[in-house]
Amino acid sequence: SAQWTRRAEAAGKPPEELYAERSQEAGVPLGRIGRAEEFADVIAFLVSPRASYVSGTAINVDGGLCDVV
């Protein structure tokens, strides 16, 4: 994304390298930070007819950070 590109330029690194470094620092169980497209995909599903039977639930789009049992 443009945000990662700007941050990488400010750090003097390629965007992929900065993304990988930040992913390790974040401690996300899936091993990486989520991309904007992944969040958008969940929203697109929820506003689509395919989610018409979904009700009263929480969907965590956090790579496993939320410790829900």
Side-chain angles (χ1 to χ4, degrees), residues 46 54-59:
L46 289 173
V54 175
S55 66
T57 189
I59 300 174

Side-chain angles (χ1 to χ4, degrees), residues 60 66-69:
N60 297 316
C66 185
D67 191 18
V68 178
V69 243

Side-chain angles (χ1 to χ4, degrees), residues 1 7 10 14 17-18 21 28 40 45 49-50 55 59 63 65-66 69:
S1 76
R7 288 180 179 184
E17 182 180 334
L18 181 65
E21 287 176 7
V28 178
F45 166 71
R50 298 192 75 183
S55 66
I59 300 174
L65 277 176
C66 185
V69 243

Side-chain angles (χ1 to χ4, degrees), residues 3-69:
Q3 180 180 7
W4 281 104
T5 302
R6 286 192 304 275
R7 288 180 179 184
E9 287 173 358
K13 300 177 180 185
E16 298 78 19
E17 182 180 334
L18 181 65
Y19 184 80
E21 287 176 7
R22 296 282 171 90
S23 291
Q24 290 175 339
E25 294 169 3
V28 178
L30 287 183
R32 62 182 180 79
I33 297 172
R35 298 190 181 274
E37 295 80 10
E38 292 172 305
F39 295 91
D41 288 343
V42 173
I43 300 304
F45 166 71
L46 289 173
V47 300
S48 77
R50 298 192 75 183
S52 65
Y53 207 66
V54 175
S55 66
T57 189
I59 300 174
N60 297 316
V61 187
D62 64 2
L65 277 176
C66 185
D67 191 18
V68 178
V69 243

